[in-house]
Amino acid sequence: MNRHLRGGVGVVAALLSACSLAAGAPVAADVRPPLPRPKASTNAELPPWPVPADSARRGADAGLALDTMEGAKQHFHVHLDIFVGPERVEVAPNLGIDHTSGLLADLHTHDNSGVLHVESHDANARFVLGQLFAMWNVRFDDTHLGALTPDATHTYRTYLNGESVTGDPARIELRPHDQISVMFQDDRVRIKPPASYDFPMGL
Protein backbone atom coordinates (compact mmCIF):
# COMPACT_ATOMS: atom_id res chain seq x y z
CA MET A 1 0.00 0.00 0.00
CA ASN A 2 1.47 3.36 -1.00
CA ARG A 3 1.84 6.14 1.52
CA HIS A 4 -0.99 8.20 0.00
CA LEU A 5 -3.41 5.30 0.35
CA ARG A 6 -2.26 4.65 3.92
CA GLY A 7 -2.88 8.29 4.76
CA GLY A 8 -6.35 8.13 3.24
CA VAL A 9 -7.23 5.04 5.28
CA GLY A 10 -6.13 6.82 8.44
CA VAL A 11 -8.34 9.81 7.69
CA VAL A 12 -11.34 7.55 6.99
CA ALA A 13 -10.77 5.67 10.26
CA ALA A 14 -10.62 8.91 12.21
CA LEU A 15 -13.83 10.14 10.57
CA LEU A 16 -15.63 6.86 11.33
CA SER A 17 -14.50 7.05 14.96
CA ALA A 18 -15.74 10.62 15.28
CA CYS A 19 -19.05 9.67 13.67
CA SER A 20 -19.53 6.74 16.05
CA LEU A 21 -18.99 9.02 19.04
CA ALA A 22 -21.41 11.58 17.62
CA ALA A 23 -23.96 8.81 17.06
CA GLY A 24 -23.90 7.90 20.71
CA ALA A 25 -21.44 5.03 20.79
CA PRO A 26 -21.14 3.38 24.23
CA VAL A 27 -18.89 5.22 26.69
CA ALA A 28 -17.33 3.50 29.69
CA ALA A 29 -19.75 3.76 32.59
CA ASP A 30 -18.83 4.83 36.11
CA VAL A 31 -18.89 1.47 37.89
CA ARG A 32 -18.37 2.90 41.35
CA PRO A 33 -21.22 2.41 43.84
CA PRO A 34 -23.39 5.48 44.48
CA LEU A 35 -22.51 7.88 47.26
CA PRO A 36 -24.14 7.03 50.59
CA ARG A 37 -27.08 9.13 51.72
CA PRO A 38 -26.94 9.22 55.52
CA LYS A 39 -30.01 10.42 57.34
CA ALA A 40 -29.28 13.89 58.68
CA SER A 41 -29.35 14.46 62.41
CA THR A 42 -32.01 16.82 63.71
CA ASN A 43 -29.92 17.72 66.78
CA ALA A 44 -29.50 21.49 66.63
CA GLU A 45 -27.23 22.68 69.43
CA LEU A 46 -24.47 25.22 69.67
CA PRO A 47 -20.87 23.98 69.71
CA PRO A 48 -18.90 22.44 71.26
CA TRP A 49 -20.62 19.15 70.47
CA PRO A 50 -19.85 16.17 72.72
CA VAL A 51 -19.24 12.63 71.53
CA PRO A 52 -22.48 10.63 71.70
CA ALA A 53 -22.20 7.43 73.69
CA ASP A 54 -23.68 5.57 70.71
CA SER A 55 -21.62 7.19 67.95
CA ALA A 56 -20.58 3.81 66.50
CA ARG A 57 -24.21 2.71 66.21
CA ARG A 58 -25.04 6.04 64.64
CA GLY A 59 -22.25 5.37 62.17
CA ALA A 60 -23.82 2.03 61.26
CA ASP A 61 -27.17 3.79 60.78
CA ALA A 62 -25.36 6.20 58.44
CA GLY A 63 -24.11 3.36 56.27
CA LEU A 64 -20.71 2.74 57.81
CA ALA A 65 -19.40 -0.76 58.48
CA LEU A 66 -18.40 -1.74 62.02
CA ASP A 67 -15.64 -4.17 62.88
CA THR A 68 -13.18 -4.93 65.66
CA MET A 69 -10.25 -4.48 63.27
CA GLU A 70 -9.32 -1.51 61.12
CA GLY A 71 -9.67 -2.34 57.43
CA ALA A 72 -6.80 -2.20 54.95
CA LYS A 73 -8.54 -2.32 51.56
CA GLN A 74 -8.88 1.45 51.86
CA HIS A 75 -6.69 3.42 54.23
CA PHE A 76 -6.49 7.18 53.88
CA HIS A 77 -6.96 10.39 55.85
CA VAL A 78 -8.84 13.66 55.44
CA HIS A 79 -8.55 16.81 57.53
CA LEU A 80 -11.58 18.74 58.75
CA ASP A 81 -11.59 22.26 60.20
CA ILE A 82 -14.71 23.84 61.65
CA PHE A 83 -14.68 27.57 62.32
CA VAL A 84 -17.36 29.59 64.08
CA GLY A 85 -16.22 33.16 63.63
CA PRO A 86 -12.43 33.15 64.07
CA GLU A 87 -12.55 30.31 66.59
CA ARG A 88 -11.84 26.71 65.63
CA VAL A 89 -14.39 24.20 66.92
CA GLU A 90 -12.80 20.97 68.11
CA VAL A 91 -13.62 17.89 66.07
CA ALA A 92 -14.51 15.39 68.75
CA PRO A 93 -12.15 12.46 69.37
CA ASN A 94 -13.33 8.84 69.26
CA LEU A 95 -16.23 9.41 66.91
CA GLY A 96 -17.30 6.04 65.54
CA ILE A 97 -15.46 4.09 68.25
CA ASP A 98 -17.22 1.99 70.90
CA HIS A 99 -14.65 1.20 73.57
CA THR A 100 -17.05 -1.13 75.40
CA SER A 101 -17.65 -3.51 72.49
CA GLY A 102 -14.36 -2.85 70.71
CA LEU A 103 -16.22 -1.98 67.50
CA LEU A 104 -15.24 0.92 65.32
CA ALA A 105 -16.68 2.37 62.14
CA ASP A 106 -14.59 2.41 58.99
CA LEU A 107 -14.74 6.23 59.23
CA HIS A 108 -13.69 7.50 62.66
CA THR A 109 -11.56 9.92 64.65
CA HIS A 110 -8.90 9.14 67.26
CA ASP A 111 -8.11 12.59 68.64
CA ASN A 112 -9.15 16.24 68.37
CA SER A 113 -6.75 17.11 65.52
CA GLY A 114 -9.48 17.09 62.89
CA VAL A 115 -7.89 14.14 61.07
CA LEU A 116 -10.57 11.74 59.83
CA HIS A 117 -9.47 8.13 59.42
CA VAL A 118 -10.92 5.96 56.66
CA GLU A 119 -9.86 2.34 57.22
CA SER A 120 -12.21 0.02 55.39
CA HIS A 121 -12.39 -3.67 54.50
CA ASP A 122 -14.38 -2.70 51.38
CA ALA A 123 -12.25 -1.50 48.46
CA ASN A 124 -15.33 -0.08 46.73
CA ALA A 125 -16.90 1.78 49.65
CA ARG A 126 -17.39 5.54 49.33
CA PHE A 127 -17.66 7.97 52.20
CA VAL A 128 -19.24 11.41 52.60
CA LEU A 129 -18.85 14.17 55.17
CA GLY A 130 -22.45 13.78 56.30
CA GLN A 131 -21.62 10.37 57.75
CA LEU A 132 -19.21 11.97 60.20
CA PHE A 133 -21.80 14.49 61.38
CA ALA A 134 -24.41 11.73 61.64
CA MET A 135 -22.08 9.85 64.03
CA TRP A 136 -21.57 13.09 65.91
CA ASN A 137 -25.33 13.70 66.12
CA VAL A 138 -24.94 17.24 64.76
CA ARG A 139 -27.35 18.66 62.21
CA PHE A 140 -25.35 19.39 59.07
CA ASP A 141 -26.80 20.48 55.76
CA ASP A 142 -26.73 23.48 53.44
CA THR A 143 -28.53 25.72 55.95
CA HIS A 144 -27.61 24.27 59.37
CA LEU A 145 -24.46 23.68 61.36
CA GLY A 146 -25.95 22.43 64.60
CA ALA A 147 -28.03 25.38 65.85
CA LEU A 148 -26.22 27.87 63.60
CA THR A 149 -27.96 29.19 60.49
CA PRO A 150 -26.93 32.01 58.14
CA ASP A 151 -28.63 35.39 58.47
CA ALA A 152 -28.19 39.00 57.34
CA THR A 153 -24.74 39.27 58.93
CA HIS A 154 -23.48 35.68 58.99
CA THR A 155 -22.35 33.47 56.14
CA TYR A 156 -22.20 29.68 56.23
CA ARG A 157 -20.01 27.95 53.65
CA THR A 158 -18.01 24.76 53.21
CA TYR A 159 -14.71 24.68 51.34
CA LEU A 160 -12.85 21.80 49.74
CA ASN A 161 -9.12 22.44 49.41
CA GLY A 162 -9.78 26.15 49.67
CA GLU A 163 -12.57 26.25 47.05
CA SER A 164 -16.18 27.00 47.97
CA VAL A 165 -18.57 24.06 47.57
CA THR A 166 -22.13 24.58 46.35
CA GLY A 167 -25.07 22.38 47.28
CA ASP A 168 -25.43 20.12 50.29
CA PRO A 169 -22.07 19.87 52.10
CA ALA A 170 -23.11 16.55 53.64
CA ARG A 171 -22.66 15.06 50.14
CA ILE A 172 -18.96 15.97 49.89
CA GLU A 173 -17.06 12.78 49.14
CA LEU A 174 -14.03 12.10 51.32
CA ARG A 175 -10.82 11.62 49.34
CA PRO A 176 -7.20 11.12 50.43
CA HIS A 177 -5.55 14.19 51.95
CA ASP A 178 -8.44 16.53 51.24
CA GLN A 179 -8.74 19.62 53.41
CA ILE A 180 -12.36 20.40 54.25
CA SER A 181 -13.29 23.64 56.01
CA VAL A 182 -16.77 24.25 57.42
CA MET A 183 -17.07 27.94 58.21
CA PHE A 184 -19.79 29.98 59.92
CA GLN A 185 -18.54 33.54 59.67
CA ASP A 186 -19.50 37.00 60.82
CA ASP A 187 -19.37 38.93 57.54
CA ARG A 188 -17.55 41.81 59.28
CA VAL A 189 -14.68 39.58 60.47
CA ARG A 190 -13.93 36.79 58.05
CA ILE A 191 -10.92 34.49 57.80
CA LYS A 192 -9.58 32.68 54.78
CA PRO A 193 -10.19 28.93 54.71
CA PRO A 194 -7.04 26.78 54.67
CA ALA A 195 -6.37 25.17 51.29
CA SER A 196 -4.35 22.24 52.61
CA TYR A 197 -3.18 20.48 55.76
CA ASP A 198 0.27 19.30 56.72
CA PHE A 199 -0.44 15.67 57.56
CA PRO A 200 1.97 14.04 60.02
CA MET A 201 4.45 11.53 58.64
CA GLY A 202 2.75 8.23 57.89
CA LEU A 203 -0.76 9.61 57.41
Side-chain angles (χ1 to χ4, degrees), residues 84-142:
V84 174
E87 301 298 324
R88 182 180 275 105
V89 175
E90 178 180 289
V91 177
N94 298 314
L95 288 169
I97 299 176
D98 185 335
H99 290 291
T100 301
S101 66
L103 292 171
L104 75 163
D106 46 7
L107 165 64
H108 54 269
T109 64
H110 287 294
D111 53 34
N112 62 359
S113 66
V115 172
L116 314 183
H117 296 252
V118 173
E119 293 157 349
S120 177
H121 295 285
D122 184 352
N124 297 313
R126 300 172 75 184
F127 304 89
V128 295
L129 187 57
Q131 290 173 300
L132 180 87
F133 282 90
M135 285 194 297
W136 205 353
N137 194 29
V138 175
R139 184 169 182 179
F140 180 65
D141 53 42
D142 54 351

Side-chain angles (χ1 to χ4, degrees), residues 55-57 59-60 64-69 96 103-106 121:
S55 71
R57 180 192 62 78
L64 296 168
L66 302 182
D67 205 300
T68 57
M69 298 289 290
L103 292 171
L104 75 163
D106 46 7
H121 295 285

